[in-house]
């Protein structure tokens, strides 16, 4: 038996042994975190109808078509199994009550981890946590999943691979997607929901492109302060979405979009790279992530010049040193 199969069986056994399962994921949810969460909720509900299963955390209106969150009292955590998906760090878990459960399971594909679970399935080789849930479903032939649950997992994989454009997308990714897609899924509706955006957001994207900062060495960035945030009706979720729109600009190899929260004044940064690993830069500012797609939260906008300086110095080193740094790290990406 492989190590992965052993972990999957331990997760399956834990689900069987608990009457209540509460599923958490990271704050400021994206398509993968909600897709994995809702997909796992349906998987358990449909195969174990006698169990109580809840998905909790902060809502994201643009992703509500995947599924909505449950509101539950603290007492539901008594003797409950808590599952934490798409994050393995304490400060990233949405709803701090995850510590109240009897047992915890962590399933995540990010390389930055802490000891959160009694059982932990951490594997950065997957493109998304939703893809891991698909493999969990495939590991047990007696399990089934409705079109709605499979749709949630599909959305998770599609969004975390940036519509299958991410470098980690592989034949295995398409094999897993092909395993859950059938004629009962309305793919057209899924993509309409994923691509739909307000007129204000479309106008803002044009505004951003016209004022993109390009200090040199292949770096580009844009800062959304609280005034722009309110004027265009943005949410912090747009930081990641906006960052992906900068991917194909010729001459740009590293870029980021920073969004200031109008209430806390903290700044969410989505950092991306075409070739050069940048997760070590994110970790210097208290963040992390994948080599070519990372993020962080800064205390305020005053820290942006420090980030720009760190990235500029790094890119200068990469340029002067040739392609050896990027080639070495991409090989293990």
């Amino acid at each position: 038996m492989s190590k992965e199969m052993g972990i999957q069986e331990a997760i399956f056994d834990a689900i069987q042994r608990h009457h209540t399962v509460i599923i958490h994921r990271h704050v400021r949810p994206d398509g993968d975190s909600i897709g994995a969460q809702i997909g796992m909720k349906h998987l358990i509900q449909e195969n174990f109808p006698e169990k109580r299963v809840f998905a909790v955390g902060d809502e994201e209106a643009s992703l509500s078509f995947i599924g909505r969150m449950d509101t539950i009292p603290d007492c539901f955590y008594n003797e409950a199994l808590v599952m934490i998906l798409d994050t393995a760090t304490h400060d990233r878990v949405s709803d701090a009550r995850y510590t109240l459960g009897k047992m915890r399971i962590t399933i995540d594909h990010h390389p930055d981890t802490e000891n959160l679970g009694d059982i932990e399935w951490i594997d950065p080789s997957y493109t998304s946590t939703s893809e891991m849930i698909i493999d969990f479903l495939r590991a047990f032939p007696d399990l089934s999943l409705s079109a709605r649950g499979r749709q949630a997992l599909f959305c998770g994989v599609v969004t975390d691979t940036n519509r299958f454009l991410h470098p980690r997308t592989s034949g295995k990714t398409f094999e897993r997607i092909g395993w859950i897609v059938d004629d009962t899924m309305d793919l057209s509706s899924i993509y309409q929901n994923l691509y739909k955006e307000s007129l204000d957001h479309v106008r803002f994207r044009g505004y951003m492109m016209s004022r993109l900062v390009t200090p040199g060495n292949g770096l580009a960035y844009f800062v959304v302060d609280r005034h722009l945030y309110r004027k265009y009706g943005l949410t912090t979720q747009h930081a990641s979405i906006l960052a992906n729109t900068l991917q194909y600009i010729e001459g740009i190899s590293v870029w980021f979009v920073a969004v200031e929260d109008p209430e806390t004044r903290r700044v969410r940064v989505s950092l991306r790279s075409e070739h050069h690993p940048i997760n070590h830069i994110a970790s210097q500012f208290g963040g992390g992530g994948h080599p070519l797609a990372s993020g962080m939260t800064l205390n305020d906008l005053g820290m942006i010049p420090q980030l720009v300086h760190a990235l500029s110095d790094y890119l200068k080193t990469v340029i002067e040193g040739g392609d050896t740094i990027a080639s070495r790290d991409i090989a293990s990406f």
Side-chain angles (χ1 to χ4, degrees):
M1 179 188 299
S2 68
K3 180 180 178 181
E4 181 175 89
M5 188 63 202
I7 296 174
Q8 290 172 340
E9 290 198 347
I11 294 172
F12 185 83
D13 179 66
I15 292 171
Q16 286 185 308
R17 288 187 288 106
H18 290 81
H19 177 63
T20 301
V21 182
I22 304 172
I23 308 171
H24 290 244
R25 39 80 184 153
H26 62 71
V27 296
R28 297 184 298 273
D30 56 13
D32 182 33
S33 62
I34 290 186
Q37 189 183 31
I38 298 299
M40 179 60 85
K41 178 182 176 179
H42 278 280
L43 191 157
I44 298 172
Q45 281 182 326
E46 293 165 17
N47 292 280
F48 303 94
E50 75 283 1
K51 299 185 184 298
R52 300 191 305 176
V53 190
F54 306 100
V56 300
D58 50 321
E59 293 271 8
E60 170 53 50
S62 65
L63 298 172
S64 62
F65 72 94
I66 299 176
R68 301 301 299 269
M69 297 298 102
D70 299 305
T71 301
I72 60 174
D74 292 356
C75 63
F76 279 27
Y77 284 85
N78 296 337
E79 303 300 311
L81 171 65
V82 172
M83 305 188 78
I84 304 166
L85 309 183
D86 205 34
T87 185
T89 57
H90 290 277
D91 62 351
R92 291 272 293 155
V93 182
S94 182
D95 195 330
R97 295 180 297 171
Y98 73 93
T99 60
L100 300 179
K102 180 181 179 181
M103 182 180 185
R104 294 201 298 266
I105 291 173
T106 306
I107 303 177
D108 187 27
H109 72 119
H110 296 96
D112 306 299
T113 64
E114 299 172 0
N115 292 324
L116 286 189
D118 301 293
I119 300 173
E120 296 190 326
W121 182 18
I122 311 295
D123 192 340
S125 70
Y126 285 88
T127 66
S128 60
T129 300
S130 294
E131 193 176 343
M132 297 175 74
I133 305 303
I134 294 173
D135 258 8
F136 178 79
L137 175 64
R138 296 173 71 193
F140 302 96
D142 291 337
L143 295 180
S144 61
L145 188 60
S146 66
R148 185 169 181 189
R150 288 183 281 112
Q151 173 178 306
L153 296 176
F154 179 85
C155 289
V157 178
V158 167
T159 53
D160 241 31
T161 59
N162 189 21
R163 283 62 168 175
F164 305 111
L165 295 174
H166 199 283
R168 285 181 298 121
T169 303
S170 67
K172 288 184 177 180
T173 306
F174 288 108
E175 177 192 352
R176 291 165 183 141
I177 281 292
W179 194 82
I180 64 168
V181 171
D182 63 20
D183 292 340
T184 66
M185 291 176 60
D186 186 354
L187 298 183
S188 175
S189 175
I190 292 173
Y191 278 105
Q192 282 181 354
N193 277 294
L194 289 175
Y195 283 101
K196 188 182 298 181
E197 56 183 327
S198 70
L199 182 58
D200 277 347
H201 294 167
V202 174
R203 286 172 171 160
F204 177 77
R205 192 166 63 249
Y207 177 91
M208 180 183 72
M209 290 298 188
S210 67
R211 291 164 175 79
L212 193 65
V213 182
T214 54
N217 290 339
L219 176 63
Y221 67 93
F222 188 80
V223 177
V224 182
D225 64 22
R226 62 187 183 279
H227 305 296
L228 287 175
Y229 184 103
R230 288 178 172 134
K231 178 179 178 180
Y232 288 96
L234 303 175
T235 69
T236 52
Q237 169 67 12
H238 287 95
S240 178
I241 297 172
L242 291 168
N244 290 335
T245 66
L246 305 179
Q247 183 172 0
Y248 299 108
I249 301 177
E250 186 175 358
I252 301 302
S253 56
V254 172
W255 62 96
F256 70 84
V257 174
V259 178
E260 181 187 28
D261 187 296
E263 304 301 329
T264 66
R265 301 291 181 88
R266 289 169 66 80
V267 181
R268 184 185 181 190
V269 178
S270 290
L271 178 62
R272 302 289 184 266
S273 176
E274 182 180 17
H275 297 300
H276 312 305
I278 38 76
N279 53 333
H280 66 289
I281 300 291
S283 67
Q284 293 175 21
F285 290 85
H290 298 288
L292 303 184
S294 294
M296 70 205 81
T297 300
L298 306 179
N299 289 332
D300 53 56
L301 290 175
M303 296 184 66
I304 296 294
Q306 300 174 43
L307 176 60
V308 172
H309 183 74
L311 290 169
S312 294
D313 283 352
Y314 170 60
L315 284 170
K316 182 179 179 182
T317 301
V318 170
I319 292 170
E320 291 178 350
D323 296 328
T324 54
I325 296 176
S327 299
R328 183 190 67 226
D329 283 289
I330 288 173
S332 62
F333 181 62

